Amino acid sequence: MQTRWTSGVDVAKLENLRRMQGIALALLLTMVVVLAATSFTLAAYPWTAWLKAFAEAAVVGAVADWFAVVALFRRPLGLPITHTAIIPNNKDRIGESLGRFVEENFLTPENVMARLALVNFAEAGGTWLAEPANSDRAAVGVCAMVPRVLMMFEDEDVTRFLTRTLLGELEKINLSSLAGEVLELVTSSEQYQALFDDAVKGIERLIAANQALILEKFGEASRYTPEFFDRYVVDRFVRGIVRLLQEVIADPQHPLRMQFADSTRTLIENLKTSPEMHARGESVKAQIIEHLRTKPYYGALWNAIKKRILADVASDRSRLREATSSLLNALGAGLVRDAAMQRKLNQWLQEALETLMLAHRHQISLLIADVVKSWDAREVSKKIELEIGKDLQYIRLNGTLVGGCVGLLLHLLVLLPGHLQ
């Protein structure tokens, strides 16, 4: 299926082309009239032989150049002469040659890298984004694409994708071993003791803050003891527990702390190596997978996220748009100030483009050839004629005048031997 040109004809170019064609034709007709007139006056006025020679050769030159120019775009006078209508008949070959020419002379790493080396793209982009108006404009463009992207995906497709992908990956996980590795990572950190102290302090505050609740529950469990006795026991209990917890916090080598560490190490080892723990992990994992597979969590989550994003983007004071603009502006301003980052980004861009050029420049050549092949031959011919036809008419004018001058020279060469005798 061929593509037709859809752009409107440039009226000014068409008028200029028609004007130059008219001038070239008028000059040709003038030479024909001069040739005809001098043919009848030659006997009475011998000097008109010079005019006749000029006009005769000028007509030949004008007709020859008219034929050459017209033959580029169509068959002259509609006659099926070979090697005419060159552009329409060779459109595909011209496209292939154009693609090869671009590939071999423009899309070379040397040419592209030399041009890129002259431009600091990172600084230019950073300067542009550092202007609030530009970062706002870029944010508007980014957010304008968000609804289109979100609406491209049907809710069922997203749910099916997430279910297939996430649950498939979850099934591969050794849950008990993973839990052991995470717990080992947490307990091996230098911050572990600080986290342990914070946890103990939290327990201490929890007990102290709920002493009244402890007293109430103790009274319910000991109905036959007087209240003052309950209060005394609970007070002693709370004070003892709080004092014990404070001792644990104050002493890094406290027996309870060491006992807890030993128990944690044993649990980590069991999680990583115990068949029983592995079986428990697999059982828990199977329950989680079954629960996620049967409950519409993904669909509900996707719908909630999509609705919130769409509502935000549609509002006049979109937080997403403001955040995007602020982020782009900050990135631009930071990039302008950071020359080292500019060099890294420019180097990365050059290397990426060089890699793409080496890998895909032939595909670009094929793309050019395919695009040219898809064009309608007659429309392409008309378009090219509209662009360069005016200049080609000067060939016709020059051919007429040069042909006439050659005619004069030949006439002189014919007469010269007779004058030399």
Side-chain angles (χ1 to χ4, degrees):
M1 180 179 180
Q2 292 190 322
T3 303
R4 295 182 63 88
W5 294 89
T6 57
S7 58
V9 176
D10 189 323
V11 178
K13 291 181 180 179
L14 182 60
E15 290 178 351
N16 290 333
L17 175 60
R18 295 288 182 258
R19 185 182 304 111
M20 291 305 302
Q21 287 176 333
I23 293 173
L25 179 60
L27 184 59
L28 169 60
L29 294 177
T30 300
M31 292 299 103
V32 171
V33 171
V34 171
L35 176 61
T38 53
S39 298
F40 291 105
T41 61
L42 186 60
Y45 304 98
W47 60 269
T48 58
W50 292 92
L51 288 176
K52 183 176 183 295
F54 182 91
E56 191 173 43
V59 169
V60 173
V63 172
D65 285 338
W66 165 83
F67 182 90
V69 169
V70 173
L72 288 173
F73 307 105
R74 65 188 70 86
R75 297 189 184 279
L77 303 177
L79 300 175
I81 303 173
T82 58
H83 301 295
T84 57
I86 294 174
I87 291 177
N89 290 337
N90 296 275
K91 171 179 65 68
D92 294 349
R93 185 166 58 85
I94 292 173
E96 294 173 358
S97 300
L98 178 62
R100 283 196 303 271
F101 179 78
V102 172
E103 176 184 355
E104 296 171 359
N105 296 277
F106 290 92
L107 299 180
T108 62
E110 296 79 12
N111 289 340
V112 175
M113 293 304 105
R115 174 63 65 179
L116 291 179
L118 301 176
V119 183
N120 189 339
F121 289 99
E123 182 183 27
T127 301
W128 190 83
L129 286 174
E131 292 292 332
N134 294 333
S135 60
D136 288 343
R137 190 178 303 115
V140 169
V142 171
C143 292
M145 294 188 296
V146 171
R148 301 176 187 175
V149 174
L150 293 179
M151 299 309 294
M152 286 172 56
F153 300 99
E154 295 292 338
D155 297 342
E156 295 78 6
D157 296 335
V158 174
T159 302
R160 186 164 50 254
F161 171 78
L162 292 176
T163 301
R164 183 174 61 251
T165 304
L166 298 182
L167 295 187
E169 293 300 317
L170 183 58
E171 289 177 347
K172 302 176 184 178
I173 296 175
N174 186 333
L175 196 59
S176 64
S177 178
L178 177 62
E181 292 176 359
V182 172
L183 188 57
E184 183 178 31
L185 179 63
V186 172
T187 56
S188 63
S189 172
E190 295 180 357
Q191 299 296 323
Y192 167 67
Q193 294 298 333
L195 293 174
F196 180 83
D197 291 342
D198 290 338
V200 174
K201 290 177 183 179
I203 296 173
E204 176 191 349
R205 289 192 297 268
L206 181 65
I207 293 175
N210 292 276
Q211 185 170 345
L213 180 61
I214 296 174
L215 176 60
E216 179 183 346
K217 296 301 179 182
F218 185 83
E220 292 177 359
S222 180
R223 299 181 181 179
Y224 303 104
T225 57
E227 183 180 352
F228 72 89
F229 178 79
D230 295 346
R231 185 177 293 105
Y232 174 80
V233 172
V234 170
D235 182 65
R236 291 295 180 179
F237 171 78
V238 170
R239 287 186 182 185
I241 293 296
V242 169
R243 185 179 302 111
L244 176 62
L245 295 176
Q246 291 175 346
E247 291 174 357
V248 172
I249 295 172
D251 184 5
Q253 302 299 323
H254 194 279
L256 286 181
R257 188 189 290 266
M258 296 297 101
Q259 183 179 353
F260 181 80
D262 292 339
S263 299
T264 303
R265 283 191 291 270
T266 301
L267 176 61
I268 292 173
E269 186 65 23
N270 289 337
L271 286 172
K272 296 171 68 174
T273 61
S274 171
E276 182 181 356
M277 286 293 186
H278 177 73
R280 290 183 183 179
E282 291 299 306
S283 176
V284 172
K285 183 177 69 175
Q287 294 177 21
I288 294 174
I289 291 175
E290 183 63 24
H291 191 68
L292 292 176
R293 183 176 285 117
T294 56
K295 301 295 181 181
Y297 290 120
Y298 298 131
L301 179 61
W302 169 250
N303 280 330
I305 293 175
K306 184 170 71 172
K307 288 180 181 178
R308 178 162 295 187
I309 293 176
L310 292 176
D312 179 80
V313 172
S315 67
D316 295 333
R317 298 184 60 84
S318 169
R319 287 182 292 180
L320 178 61
R321 188 162 54 245
E322 292 177 358
T324 304
S325 176
S326 178
L327 175 61
L328 292 175
N329 185 261
L331 288 175
L335 194 56
V336 171
R337 294 191 299 266
D338 195 335
M341 183 58 68
Q342 291 177 23
R343 288 192 297 271
K344 291 180 180 179
L345 284 177
N346 287 327
Q347 181 180 1
W348 175 84
L349 178 62
Q350 292 175 12
E351 292 175 352
L353 288 177
E354 183 176 12
T355 302
L356 289 173
M357 203 64 61
L358 291 173
H360 301 292
R361 65 175 184 157
H362 185 61
Q363 280 72 22
I364 297 176
S365 171
L366 295 178
L367 174 63
I368 294 174
D370 290 341
V371 169
V372 174
K373 288 180 181 179
S374 70
W375 292 344
D376 181 80
R378 287 179 295 181
E379 292 293 332
V380 173
S381 179
K382 291 179 182 179
K383 183 67 175 178
I384 296 176
E385 184 178 12
L386 185 64
E387 294 295 330
I388 65 174
K390 175 185 175 182
D391 297 319
L392 293 178
Q393 303 312 308
Y394 285 104
I395 295 178
R396 295 176 57 186
L397 295 176
N398 293 333
T400 303
L401 299 177
V402 171
C405 292
V406 172
L408 289 176
L409 180 60
L410 292 175
H411 185 66
L412 175 63
L413 292 176
V414 170
L415 297 178
L416 190 60
H419 288 282
L420 294 177
Q421 291 178 356

